[in-house]
Amino acid sequence: MSMLTPPGMGGKYRITGDVYPRMRRPRRRRRIVLGAAAAVLVLGAAGWGTVQLIDVFSGGEEKTTTAAGKPDCKPAPRPSTQPAAAALPKPAQITVNVYNATPRSGLAKSTADELKKRGFLIGKVGNAPAAYDKKVPGTGLLLGAPGAAKGTFSVVGTQLKGATTKVDARTTADVDLIIGTAFKTLDPKAAADAALVALNKPKPVPGRC
């Protein structure tokens, strides 16, 4: 009986020879696990390197924020097919008829004289027609053809803040300024000139933000 044979166990369970069973995991399985982990690391590094190369050759993604975190808004280029805004008429191209719809006398003439000094052409001057006499509660009413709404009303309106507008059936280019009961005087020339400059300043094209 061998020294390794437990007592009471016969030859059926006798252990002979010098080869003993090994209890640790075979090395081949460990090599497979380590090989798979190494392959994952290699693939990850290759993928990251590919992304870096693409970013270098493409110039990188355009930054849309500044260092302060605010949008870096740049105006979009105006398409060549977009029509340019129509130029507003100059005061020297506008004929203004001045009518007084208030009980105070002399307002039509004094207002017409001041508008003439500011470069406007003056047409008729007098009392307002019966349809508007003492019936204009605001500072004034600008009355003209439908085409006047495209720019003429805006230019004349820079001289009198709060004036309302209305179109009629006339076909001429002249405009009526009907002085209302709240009228005191035309806006100061400096303020009117600044409003006229701002009116002619082109509006910025919306950006990409």
Side-chain angles (χ1 to χ4, degrees), residues 47-176:
W48 182 83
T50 302
V51 171
Q52 295 299 316
L53 288 176
I54 293 175
D55 186 64
V56 170
F57 287 105
S58 64
E61 183 179 0
E62 182 180 359
K63 295 183 179 180
T64 57
T65 56
T66 61
K70 297 180 179 180
D72 185 13
C73 299
K74 296 181 180 179
R78 183 188 296 273
S80 58
T81 57
Q82 182 176 355
L88 295 174
K90 297 180 180 179
Q93 298 173 314
I94 301 175
T95 298
V96 184
N97 305 312
V98 184
Y99 298 109
N100 184 8
T102 75
R104 293 171 287 169
S105 61
L107 286 181
K109 185 178 184 309
S110 61
T111 302
D113 291 343
E114 181 61 28
L115 287 174
K116 186 176 181 179
K117 292 179 182 178
R118 299 184 182 188
F120 290 89
L121 299 176
I122 302 301
K124 298 177 182 179
V125 178
N127 294 325
Y132 297 100
D133 190 24
K134 300 179 183 63
K135 297 177 182 178
V136 180
T139 58
L141 171 66
L142 296 177
L143 190 64
K150 297 180 180 180
T152 304
F153 281 163
S154 299
V155 175
V156 180
T158 60
Q159 310 301 307
L160 182 58
K161 187 181 301 182
T164 58
T165 62
K166 183 179 179 180
V167 298
D168 57 15
R170 77 181 70 187
T171 57
T172 56
D174 59 323
V175 174
D176 296 345

